[in-house]
Amino acid sequence: MISFVRGPVAALSLAQAVIDVNGVGMLVHATPKTLGNLRLGEEATLTTAMIVREDSMTLFGFADDAEREVFDVLLTVSGIGPRLALAILSVLEPESIRVGVASGDGKIFTKVPGVGPKVAGRIVLELKGKLKPTGVATSAAPAAVAVMEWKDQVVAAMTSLGWNERDALKAIDAAVAAEPELAEVGNVAAVLRATLRGLGQDNSRAKAGR
């Protein structure tokens, strides 16, 4: 079991990073928010969980033990694999997940792509008593998210992927103008996905016009 990895960031993308651990490149899958805090060439430490299958060994990385704990517990829900568990953590913070389970609010989980009402209900039912709120403040509620806080995080994620800050800000503003609800929720992963989706569409239109 690999509990954590530490070393320079050798490669970085929207869904994964490669950490150089004493000359060995460790491929780690993580949320956009976690990856957005990494910088190419700079040393990083990620708490990890290794998922072993018959034909693969996959490493998932987290910003802290709180994320990894919730990830591990989510895997105990029938029908939820590591990819979906990571997707849930990409949209909801660990404390928001704990509060949702404790309050029986399955609707909060339907915000995650791939999670419908049935799966959301199963999460609440099967995790009741396993995940309890810790009292840590969460930025999941719109009122608790300052615009500059989530915007800075999205800019950081995009610059880590190769865009300059000016282009990143322009693309973010365009994405939020097209989908105003993104600003209201202030979810970093959702804004990042919408921004990258918009850039992809712009690139496609530019190529078509050539």
Side-chain angles (χ1 to χ4, degrees), residues 10 19 25 43 73-74:
I19 308 297
E43 184 167 296
V73 176
L74 284 170

Side-chain angles (χ1 to χ4, degrees), residues 97-162:
I97 295 171
R98 290 176 178 276
V99 171
V101 169
S103 64
D105 181 14
K107 190 175 181 180
I108 189 175
F109 296 104
T110 60
K111 297 178 181 179
V112 181
V115 177
K118 289 185 178 179
V119 175
R122 196 183 307 141
I123 292 173
V124 172
L125 179 65
E126 296 187 21
L127 296 188
K128 196 72 173 180
K130 293 183 180 180
L131 283 178
K132 298 179 181 179
T134 63
V136 176
T138 175
S139 61
V145 183
V147 172
M148 290 310 298
E149 180 181 344
W150 63 253
K151 199 167 189 178
D152 286 347
Q153 291 178 11
V154 178
V155 169
M158 293 190 66
T159 54
S160 72
L161 294 174

Side-chain angles (χ1 to χ4, degrees), residues 160-181:
S160 72
L161 294 174
W163 277 273
N164 62 50
E165 186 172 333
R166 180 179 177 181
D167 289 343
L169 284 169
K170 184 177 179 180
I172 293 168
D173 289 341
V176 172
E179 301 179 55
E181 64 275 14

Side-chain angles (χ1 to χ4, degrees), residues 34 51 54 56 65-66 70 73-74 88 90 95 106 113 118 125 150 159 162 165 174 182 188 191 200 205:
T34 296
I51 304 300
E54 289 185 3
S56 67
D65 291 337
V70 172
V73 176
L74 284 170
I88 293 172
S90 294
E95 188 67 8
K118 289 185 178 179
L125 179 65
W150 63 253
T159 54
E165 186 172 333
L182 292 172
V188 174
V191 176
R205 285 195 291 268

